[in-house]
Amino acid sequence: LSLFDNGGIQRWEQEVEIRRQMVSTIAADYGAVVVPLQKIISEKAAEAADPEIVLRDGVHPTLFGHQLIADQYLKYAGELLK
C-alpha cells in the first residue's frame, strides 16, 4: 500500500500541514528553528522520475530520503552557528 495511490498523498499533506502550523507556532513561542522537511521531501518526490526513490511508500524515507533529511538538518544547524 502506498500513499501515492488514490489521492492519498494529498490527504497526508493536509494532515501534515495542520501539524506543521502547530509546530511552527510552538517553535516561534520558544525561539526554536523549524526544518520544513515535509515540504522539502514532497518537492523532491515530485521532481523524481519515481517518487518512491525518496519515500518508499509515501511516508517512510529511503536511503536517499534519509540523506536528504540529514542534509537539511545540517544546513539549518549550520545557519544557527553563523
Side-chain angles (χ1 to χ4, degrees):
L1 185 61
S2 173
L3 278 179
F4 296 117
D5 300 330
N6 300 319
I9 197 72
Q10 288 83 16
R11 289 189 304 275
W12 170 260
E13 288 178 344
Q14 289 170 349
E15 290 295 323
V16 169
E17 178 59 21
I18 292 167
R19 287 154 180 81
R20 187 203 61 77
Q21 290 174 7
M22 287 186 247
V23 167
S24 293
T25 299
I26 293 166
D29 289 346
Y30 290 92
V33 173
V34 175
V35 180
L37 286 177
Q38 188 64 47
K39 178 180 182 287
I40 294 163
I41 289 172
S42 294
E43 287 172 356
K44 284 292 185 187
E47 293 170 5
D50 179 358
E52 291 182 6
I53 292 170
V54 180
L55 297 168
R56 182 178 62 242
D57 56 4
V59 177
H60 300 96
T62 61
L63 287 175
F64 176 82
H66 280 289
Q67 185 63 58
L68 182 62
I69 291 167
D71 291 345
Q72 293 306 309
Y73 273 110
L74 290 173
K75 174 185 169 188
Y76 280 78
E79 291 174 8
L80 286 174
L81 299 174
K82 288 182 181 178

